[in-house]
Structure formats: C-alpha cells, structure tokens
Amino acid sequence: MHQLLLRFTRLIGAVGFAVGGLGCHTAVQTPADSSPQALSTLSTTEPTTPIVASVEAVKAVDALVDPPTGWVEDPRRIDAKHAHVVWKSPTGDTAYGVVLMHLPFPVGPDLVLAGFLNHLRETDHEAQLLTKQAAPDLPGYRFTAESGQYVLRVDLTVRGWRAWAVYAGSLREKPANMAELRQAERARDHTRVGLPAESAFAE
C-alpha cells in the first residue's frame, strides 16, 4: 500500500510539468453522468484519529495548510516548475495534498485543468472527469477526477502565473474510507493559498 501511495505522490507532483506542453489539447468535456453513483463507493469506517488539526504556513507551496492530526507528511517534491506536499492517512489509503504549479504564462483554469487531465492519461493510462463546478471564489474549479488508480477531489485555483491544486485523494481499487476522506476534504477546504497578508512567502 505504501508503494501505491508513493506512486500517487509522484503522479500528482508531476502535474506541474504538463501545463507547458498542452499544445492544442485543451478540450475538456464534463461527463453527462456526474451523479453520486459515478463516484467511488464510500465505507462507513469510524475515524481512527481526531479531526482536530494544526494550521501551518508552508513556504514551498505558498499556502496555509491544515493536515489532520496523526497524518504523516511524505518527502516534499520541489523543483523549478512545481512544489508538492502531501500527507497520508494512518491506513495509507487516503491523502491530502497541495501542489503549486508555476505556469509558463498566465492561462485560465480550463487550460490548467486540461493539462492536469492530460498528464493523468499519460502517467496513469486513464483520466475521467466525473464532476466539474466553476468556483469564482477560488478562482478556478472544484472537480472530481478518476485515473487508473486514484480518485481525486480537487480545488483548482489559478492566479496569473501560478496555480494550486489542493486535493483529497483515495485509492480507486477499494472503497474509500469515508472517515479519512472527510478529514482530507476538511483539510482541503481549510487550505488557503497565496494570500497577500498571510502568504507563507511574506517576511
């Protein structure tokens, strides 16, 4: 299971390289079936760790993050094009992560989302957009995507030359642990990125 989650980390961490190579592949279609039945089945396992978490500033992704208590951070992946931090649950079945992508030029959320999905197809042989909702408050999209191995529930924020993908992810091969997934989604929803007054880059 650890190896699967490590591959998950590498898969999402590499998304930052995809935006610059979009070319003409920018079409994104929202599937007709975006009902809850289209999503992976959730289990009703009770939480094994508290939902209380501590907020911390992570300069690498210019974000205030809120990892659940007891979750373990994997080694950070940082280079000139992207930075990725991820925490995994005690079972190793669920992850909460933040990816900061440095764009080659300012683009809209549709191009960034297309790059995200194109990269999933290249690295995990499959990418299906299950749901997509415009989110002016981010600004960007809230979407759910399924790859060959993972189900990703993502808040995508695009601002000028940078974009953030904040996600709650689970393995596709088994029913998601609903208790852990709730914690990951709570952490995702509490994450704040690129705020001028509270930026992790601020002195």
Side-chain angles (χ1 to χ4, degrees):
M1 188 61 65
H2 175 73
Q3 291 300 317
L4 282 176
L5 199 60
L6 181 59
R7 290 181 65 185
F8 173 78
T9 301
R10 290 173 178 168
L11 175 71
I12 302 303
V15 168
F17 292 101
V19 179
L22 281 173
C24 296
H25 303 290
T26 60
V28 178
Q29 296 182 350
T30 303
D33 182 12
S34 59
S35 64
Q37 289 76 17
L39 305 179
S40 295
T41 304
L42 300 178
S43 73
T44 55
T45 306
E46 288 302 314
T48 56
T49 58
I51 296 180
V52 177
S54 57
V55 176
E56 60 177 300
V58 176
K59 181 176 181 179
V61 289
D62 191 16
L64 294 175
V65 302
D66 191 16
T69 299
W71 290 37
V72 179
E73 183 180 356
D74 275 0
R76 297 178 182 182
R77 299 176 61 83
I78 303 171
D79 56 41
K81 295 186 177 180
H82 88 289
H84 182 206
V85 294
V86 60
W87 290 262
K88 61 185 178 183
S89 66
T91 66
D93 295 340
T94 316
Y96 154 63
V98 182
V99 181
L100 168 62
M101 293 166 275
H102 300 283
L103 307 177
F105 46 83
V107 297
D110 286 297
L111 278 173
V112 178
L113 176 56
F116 191 102
L117 295 175
N118 285 341
H119 190 78
L120 286 183
R121 292 186 186 100
E122 292 172 2
T123 57
D124 208 16
H125 311 295
E126 182 181 347
Q128 181 181 4
L129 187 62
L130 301 179
T131 65
K132 183 181 84 170
Q133 179 181 4
D137 58 306
L138 292 176
Y141 286 121
R142 291 185 172 88
F143 69 91
T144 303
E146 190 174 72
S147 71
Q149 299 182 75
Y150 309 105
V151 181
L152 309 173
R153 304 149 186 91
V154 184
D155 282 0
L156 178 67
T157 300
V158 181
R159 298 178 187 168
W161 293 78
R162 298 191 295 170
W164 290 261
V166 185
Y167 64 87
S170 59
L171 295 171
R172 184 180 174 185
E173 67 177 7
K174 59 193 297 187
N177 182 315
M178 188 170 183
E180 289 185 350
L181 182 57
R182 281 198 300 263
Q183 293 184 61
E185 290 179 329
R186 175 186 180 277
R188 177 202 62 198
D189 294 344
H190 285 190
T191 301
R192 305 176 73 180
V193 300
L195 297 178
E198 300 174 295
S199 170
F201 286 139
E203 295 296 328

